[in-house]
């Protein structure tokens, strides 16, 4: 049962007044036992004036999800100025007014027209007002009141996830936290127990448990082993109403996986392993694999292998394959069947990651015995050294022995060995070797200055098995012998001023030597004996492998002597002493006061005389002009050769001979007989085409004569058609010519070309009838005929 109260609020202008409340009748099952009224009350009638009055109001309460057939009654609005005569009108506005909530404008009764859902909207705020129906003016100020929706248990708990996934280490203690599940209820948690949720486990016992209030899932069984079972599915229920009967519930699934811990030591499936390897296996060669099994996963199953004891601690090694966790046994040093044939090793497998709390289960390691048998192979010869270094003087004679190499068959058979030089490393065949004892000797003369080191390769091969051979590098150093004289470091050409003083340094000399003496170079400089007496210059040895040229007198005259050649002897102090003579050229030049050279007698060597720029330009212009003239002349000659056959209209040729076909050459004029073109009837039947070689003998085709009134276009078309259909016609790359002057001229043809086809002379007397313009032609041709007749 719920009890609702109404409160009467009075507001007076200028002074405060107490507030009165009026209780509402009790309400059951969502309906009021007595109507709830919001009233307006007035003050004492003795007061002449009063202020604006407020609504008397309190909260209205409605149950959600009302299922009745009629509208749900909310309450009533009433003003103390309402005398029941219908003069007042009640108006409702705010949340859902007119749609969700309606009011009787005459009585002020408020009703809800639809089912209300607290989860959608728990509170509605509305405004009420009473106005005068006639004037439309409010008789009371607008005021707000609240309609609050009371909750009912109409929403079941919903988990935040449909499926939870969690992990927990295996072998965990009872009560170890696994995961927390959470369910929410849309009902009002502040009203009743509709939203009070209790968790329980429906599936997953006795392995896991859940706390009823928090939803925390914990382990409930001791020593759950992942190797026995890894996956668990737990179903959790969330029920509202505090878990009481009649409450709504929801469920979720929790998939729990036991994670691995290192609770299993590695174990070898067998105690002894046996492998074989040839003695020729180089270091790093794998011999075999061993593997210890471990039921754990990931890093807990990682295994480290090591050789703890045995005869081959320094001969073999073992590493771990990180992908397969296998132990790979490899050769560490070169094996020798003749020295040892069997090795016995003890290999240990252990976990690098150990859980201290499981040490009580025993040591997390295991060991096995590995036997390795060495197999004998036919090995190549072995040299006594990995490399040989020999020395020889560069003046050694041919066939001089330098040294020797030694190789031996390591096998028990001790097969004999022969030696040879790899000629790819000694292309010039400077060295040879004795095939029996390995002695190295020269076959050509040596020169240290040409090549200081000779790097060759010596091959040792078993005589009984030539496939077995080995190589060794041989480094031969050529020792220096003083066989090269010193020379000037460069070509020396200097000058001396005409006004030079005596004992003046004009040039410093330096020398080089191809030899490389052990104590270093020590050169001495001097003038050649033949030039020492009467020389105008002296050579001063500085005792530091340099020398200076000094003047011997005051002043020089370039007009008397422009160039001096000084022979200088350079000697070394090695044994045997080597010397050479170099020439220094000294020119006498005119100098300024500072001693700078200005001009010498042989000025062309210092300042070469040349043409001026203007002269060079003039010469180039002349050359260009000559070239242009020659090109123009050649072009004119070529153009003159290509003049046309008919230079003017007055130049008339009787025949045109064309050679741009594949016909019979320069004698073939038949195909282009102009007379035939002018008169097709005159074709000779007995002549064949000469511009092609006929595959068979075809009779010449007679070309029908053209009519006198034949048009040129028709004539050409007719001839083209005949040529296309004629089997004796020339090939496609031959030139076919068609010409026709037409008919109808009164004067006929004046060309003499037609005379070929006519038997008699023509009469030109008719020219006299054509008028004075043709008189000259009549005299020329007619006169000739007259003279002939006479």
């Amino acid at each position: 049962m719920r009890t609702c109260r109404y409160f009467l609020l009075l507001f007076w202008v200028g002074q405060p007044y107490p507030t009165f409340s009026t209780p509402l009748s009790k309400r059951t099952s969502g309906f009021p036992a007595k109507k709830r009224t919001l009233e307006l009350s007035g003050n004492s009638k003795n007061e002449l004036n009063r202020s604006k009055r407020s609504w008397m109001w309190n909260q209205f309460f409605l149950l959600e999800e009302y299922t009745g057939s009629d509208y749900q009654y909310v309450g009533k609005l009433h003003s103390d100025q309402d005398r029941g005569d219908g003069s007042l009108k009640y108006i409702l506005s705010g949340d859902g007014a007119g749609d969700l909530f309606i009011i009787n404008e005459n009585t002020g009764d408020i009703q809800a027209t639809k089912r209300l859902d607290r989860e959608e909207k728990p509170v509605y705020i509305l405004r009420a007002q009473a106005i005068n129906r006639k004037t439309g003016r409010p008789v009371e100020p607008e005021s707000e009141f609240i309609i609050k929706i009371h909750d009912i248990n109409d929403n079941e708990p919903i988990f935040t996830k449909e499926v939870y996934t969690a992990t927990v280490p295996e072998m965990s203690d009872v009560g170890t936290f696994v995961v927390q599940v959470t369910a929410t209820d849309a009902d009002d948690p502040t009203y009743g127990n509709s939203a009070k949720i209790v968790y329980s486990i429906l599936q997953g016992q006795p392995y896991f448990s859940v706390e009823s209030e928090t939803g925390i899932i914990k382990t409930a069984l001791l020593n759950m082993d992942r190797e026995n079972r890894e996956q668990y599915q737990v179903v959790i229920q969330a029920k509202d109403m505090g878990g009481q009967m009649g409450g709504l519930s929801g469920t979720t699934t929790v998939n729990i996986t036991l994670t691995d811990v290192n609770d299993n030591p590695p174990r070898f499936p067998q105690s002894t392993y046996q492998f074989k390897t040839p003695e020729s296996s180089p270091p790093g060669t794998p011999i075999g694999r061993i593997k210890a099994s471990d039921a754990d996963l990931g890093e807990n199953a990682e295994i480290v292998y090591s050789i703890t004891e045995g005869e081959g601690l320094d001969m073999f090694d073992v590493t771990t394959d990180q992908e397969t966790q296998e132990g790979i046994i490899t050769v560490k040093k070169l094996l020798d069947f003749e020295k040892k044939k069997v090795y016995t090793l003890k290999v240990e497998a252990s976990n690098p990651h150990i859980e201290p709390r499981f040490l009580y289960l025993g040591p997390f390691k295991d060991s096995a015995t590995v036997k390795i048998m060495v197999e004998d192979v036919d090995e190549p010869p072995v040299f006594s050294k990995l490399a040989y270094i020999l020395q020889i003087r560069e003046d050694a004679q041919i066939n001089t022995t330098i040294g020797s190499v030694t190789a031996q068959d390591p096998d028990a058979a001790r097969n004999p060995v022969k030696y040879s030089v790899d000629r790819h490393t000694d292309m010039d065949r400077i060295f040879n070797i004795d095939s029996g004892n390995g002695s190295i000797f020269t076959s050509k003369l040596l020169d240290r200055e040409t090549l200081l080191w000779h790097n060759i390769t010596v091959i040792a091969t078993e005589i009984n098995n030539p496939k077995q051979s080995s190589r060794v590098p041989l480094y031969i150093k050529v020792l220096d012998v003083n066989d090269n004289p010193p020379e000037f470091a460069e070509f020396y050409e200097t000058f001396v001023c005409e006004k030079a003083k005596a004992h003046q340094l004009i040039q410093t000399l330096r020398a080089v030597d191809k030899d490389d003496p052990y104590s270093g170079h020590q050169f001495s400089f001097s003038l050649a004996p033949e030039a020492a007496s009467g020389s105008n210059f002296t050579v001063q040895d500085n005792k530091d492998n340099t020398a200076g040229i000094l003047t011997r007198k005051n002043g020089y005259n370039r007009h008397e002597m422009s160039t001096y050649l000084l022979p200088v002897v350079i000697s070394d102090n090695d044994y045997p002493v080597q010397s050479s003579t170099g020439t220094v050229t000294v020119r006498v030049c005119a100098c300024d006061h500072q001693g700078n050279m200005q001009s010498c007698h042989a000025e062309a060597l210092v300042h070469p005389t040349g043409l001026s720029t203007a002269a060079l330009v003039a010469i180039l212009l002349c050359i260009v002009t000559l070239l242009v003239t020659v090109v123009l002349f050649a072009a004119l000659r070529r153009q003159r050769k290509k003049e046309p056959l008919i230079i003017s209209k007055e130049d008339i040729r009787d025949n045109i001979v064309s050679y741009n076909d594949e016909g019979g050459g320069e004698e073939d004029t038949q195909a282009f007989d102009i007379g035939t073109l002018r008169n097709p009837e005159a074709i000779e039947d007995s002549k064949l085409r000469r511009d092609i070689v006929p595959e068979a003998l075809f009779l010449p085709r007679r070309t029908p004569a053209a009519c006198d009134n034949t048009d040129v276009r028709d004539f050409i078309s007719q001839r083209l058609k005949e040529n296309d259909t004629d089997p004796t016609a020339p090939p496609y790359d031959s030139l076919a010519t068609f010409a026709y002057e037409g008919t109808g001229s009164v004067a006929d043809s004046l060309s003499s070309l037609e005379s070929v086809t006519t038997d008699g002379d023509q009469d030109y007397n008719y020219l006299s009838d054509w008028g004075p313009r043709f008189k000259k032609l009549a005299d020329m041709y007619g006169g000739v005929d007259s003279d002939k007749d006479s």
Side-chain angles (χ1 to χ4, degrees), residues 38-288:
L38 292 176
E39 298 182 353
L40 285 174
S41 89
N43 202 356
S44 172
K45 295 182 180 180
N46 297 329
E47 296 288 337
L48 297 177
N49 296 318
R50 66 171 182 166
S51 66
K52 293 182 180 179
R53 296 175 183 171
S54 172
W55 291 103
M56 286 204 48
W57 61 278
N58 198 355
Q59 291 184 355
F60 290 124
F61 295 93
L62 290 179
L63 282 177
E64 66 171 333
E65 303 295 343
Y66 171 68
T67 57
S69 59
D70 298 331
Y71 290 163
Q72 187 177 6
Y73 183 76
V74 179
K76 183 180 181 65
L77 299 179
H78 183 72
S79 174
D80 60 354
Q81 296 189 20
D82 188 358
R83 296 178 176 78
D85 56 358
S87 62
L88 295 183
K89 179 179 179 181
Y90 296 97
I91 298 176
L92 186 66
S93 63
D95 295 341
D99 179 20
L100 187 58
F101 300 103
I102 59 174
I103 187 172
N104 189 317
E105 62 181 14
N106 295 322
T107 63
D109 292 328
I110 301 173
Q111 292 178 311
T113 62
K114 299 179 181 178
R115 295 172 58 182
L116 303 178
D117 189 355
R118 188 201 66 83
E119 286 70 40
E120 292 182 2
K121 190 173 180 65
V123 175
Y124 294 86
I125 300 176
L126 295 100
R127 294 180 296 277
Q129 193 175 32
I131 63 174
N132 188 296
R133 190 181 294 274
K134 293 181 180 180
T135 63
R137 294 181 178 180
V139 298
E140 296 290 346
E142 186 180 64
S143 184
E144 290 184 349
F145 66 94
I146 298 174
I147 299 178
K148 192 171 183 180
I149 310 301
H150 270 181
D151 181 53
I152 64 173
N153 188 20
D154 59 342
N155 292 280
E156 71 276 2
I158 299 176
F159 283 93
T160 56
K161 296 180 181 179
E162 294 183 2
V163 178
Y164 288 82
T165 302
T167 59
V168 64
E170 64 172 330
M171 309 298 289
S172 296
D173 297 332
V174 175
T176 301
F177 175 83
V178 178
V179 69
Q180 183 177 15
V181 296
T182 303
T184 58
D185 197 319
D187 294 325
D188 188 1
T190 63
Y191 180 76
N193 293 329
S194 298
K196 185 177 180 180
I197 298 174
V198 173
Y199 299 93
S200 61
I201 183 168
L202 300 182
Q203 177 182 323
Q205 294 175 331
Y207 307 103
F208 301 95
S209 63
V210 63
E211 292 183 356
S212 61
E213 296 181 358
T214 62
I216 295 176
I217 301 175
K218 299 180 179 180
T219 59
L221 189 63
L222 187 63
N223 295 333
M224 287 189 292
D225 193 357
R226 184 199 65 82
E227 286 73 32
N228 293 331
R229 182 177 177 182
E230 184 177 6
Q231 299 287 341
Y232 294 86
Q233 190 175 75
V234 179
V235 178
I236 303 297
Q237 181 188 65
K239 191 173 184 180
D240 59 12
M241 296 298 292
Q244 298 177 7
M245 186 175 296
L248 302 178
S249 63
T251 60
T252 186
T253 301
V254 183
N255 293 325
I256 301 174
T257 302
L258 296 184
T259 58
D260 185 63
V261 298
N262 193 7
D263 59 340
N264 294 279
R267 291 289 181 263
F268 281 107
Q270 60 191 69
S271 60
T272 303
Y273 294 87
Q274 189 169 340
F275 301 103
K276 294 181 181 180
T277 183
E279 62 174 335
S280 59
S281 299
T285 302
I287 298 174

